[in-house]
Amino acid sequence: MAPTRSMVVSAMTPVAWMTWPWTARPPAAPGTEPRPPLASWPRRPAAAGPSPSCGVPGKTNEITCFTALLAPYDLTGITVTADALHTQRDHARFLVEEKRAHYLLVVKANQPELHRRLRSLPWKDCTARRYDRERGHGRKETRATRALTVTGLGLDFPHAAQAARILRHRTDLATGRCSRQTVYVITDLTSQEASPERLGRLARPQWTIENRLHFVRDTAFGEDASKIRTGYGPENMATLRNLAINTLRAAGHHNIAAGLRHASYEPFTRPLDLLGIA
């Protein structure tokens, strides 16, 4: 039977999203200081939301935090999806060989040879395909997902079994403006374990993270412009932003900027009411 649970790992700050709530805080890594109280898990709706993040050491990037973030958890049978920054051969081996998990990774130009090989696959001859059409939020969107078995094609990526191409056509209903985006993904899931429909569903949370978390944190909270960069400051501020986002969504605010304005009209009472503090 195909795996039924999935986890999404994002870049920027390595935040994990899961399709079910976390139940326990992982232990601190050996040789590291315990996190301060503000770095505890943010309160959020049980359905989904930002989960624990780990700080990125200086003079490095999010790639080095991938295994540290996931190591404390039992990922057996879970499909971990990640954006292009984490499409690394060591990450794929770690997930499949050590964590006994599955992966679905986005492939972009940071892996130029792999990206070139995926683009050159015979997608026009592909018979395994899926079309999804949606209308809402002021736009209509069509997604065409095609999947190919790549075992034996010499892609030079550990445990690769399938590749998929997802073509997105989006039309803004207000302006009529059309956009098109092509995304390539690679996975160790076989065609028996994951159809094009399932691969499309697994890949979609990457866009959800971009729209629901990173875009909101940057535009509504000015995260990229923040000058808090030392000690536990960035981690604590990220936790507080997550707390604010999740609390507003739990209260029914789909537009976070509008929710912040609503709370600011009565700054001494409305934020406390949202948090359930008398």
Side-chain angles (χ1 to χ4, degrees):
M1 180 180 295
T4 58
R5 298 183 296 175
S6 64
M7 171 193 283
V8 184
V9 178
S10 162
M12 296 186 178
T13 55
V15 177
W17 277 49
M18 300 189 73
T19 54
W20 75 97
W22 295 83
T23 57
R25 177 174 180 166
T32 62
E33 297 180 7
R35 293 178 179 177
L38 281 179
S40 60
W41 294 167
R43 190 178 70 173
R44 64 193 184 284
S51 287
S53 63
C54 64
V56 179
K59 298 182 180 180
T60 183
N61 58 30
E62 292 87 350
I63 295 174
T64 60
C65 298
F66 185 90
T67 55
L69 180 68
L70 301 183
Y73 298 100
D74 180 7
L75 301 180
T76 303
I78 294 173
T79 300
V80 177
T81 75
D83 55 18
L85 183 69
H86 295 297
T87 304
Q88 307 291 331
R89 289 165 177 80
D90 289 342
H91 292 355
R93 294 189 186 96
F94 167 76
L95 291 171
V96 175
E97 298 171 13
E98 295 187 33
K99 305 303 290 183
R100 305 179 70 180
H102 300 279
Y103 67 79
L104 185 139
L105 304 172
V106 177
V107 180
K108 292 184 179 178
N110 64 317
Q111 293 282 350
E113 180 60 23
L114 181 60
H115 188 252
R116 185 191 66 79
R117 294 290 301 275
L118 292 183
R119 290 182 60 188
S120 66
L121 291 175
W123 297 108
K124 291 183 179 180
D125 302 328
C126 177
T127 58
R129 60 185 70 179
R130 166 78 178 186
Y131 294 93
D132 294 287
R133 295 176 176 85
E134 292 184 355
R135 187 184 184 100
H137 303 289
R139 63 178 181 266
K140 62 179 180 179
E141 181 177 298
T142 300
R143 295 184 301 277
T145 304
R146 302 189 180 196
L148 286 170
T149 297
V150 297
T151 305
L153 295 185
L155 288 184
D156 188 29
F157 200 84
H159 307 286
Q162 283 195 98
R165 186 186 74 174
I166 304 171
L167 184 60
R168 302 173 69 207
H169 293 272
R170 177 180 290 182
T171 302
D172 188 302
L173 298 178
T175 64
R177 181 179 179 182
C178 298
S179 62
R180 171 176 169 170
Q181 180 183 22
T182 302
V183 176
Y184 295 94
V185 299
I186 194 166
T187 180
D188 71 313
L189 294 167
T190 66
S191 58
Q192 289 76 29
E193 293 173 315
S195 64
E197 178 184 6
R198 175 165 171 74
L199 293 177
R201 288 203 315 266
L202 288 170
R204 194 175 181 192
Q206 291 299 334
W207 296 308
T208 302
I209 286 181
E210 186 66 30
N211 293 332
R212 289 176 58 85
L213 181 61
H214 293 312
F215 180 78
V216 169
R217 279 164 52 160
D218 186 30
T219 57
F221 293 94
E223 184 173 66
D224 286 352
S226 174
K227 298 186 182 300
I228 301 175
R229 299 170 184 168
T230 59
Y232 288 110
E235 187 175 7
N236 289 338
M237 289 305 300
T239 299
L240 291 173
R241 293 184 190 106
N242 288 344
L243 173 63
I245 292 170
N246 293 328
T247 302
L248 288 169
R249 288 210 170 106
H253 293 281
H254 300 292
N255 186 311
I256 299 303
L260 290 173
R261 287 194 297 272
H262 179 266
S264 70
Y265 296 151
E266 297 181 18
F268 299 108
T269 57
R270 287 183 179 177
L272 297 179
D273 292 338
L274 288 170
L275 293 170
I277 301 175

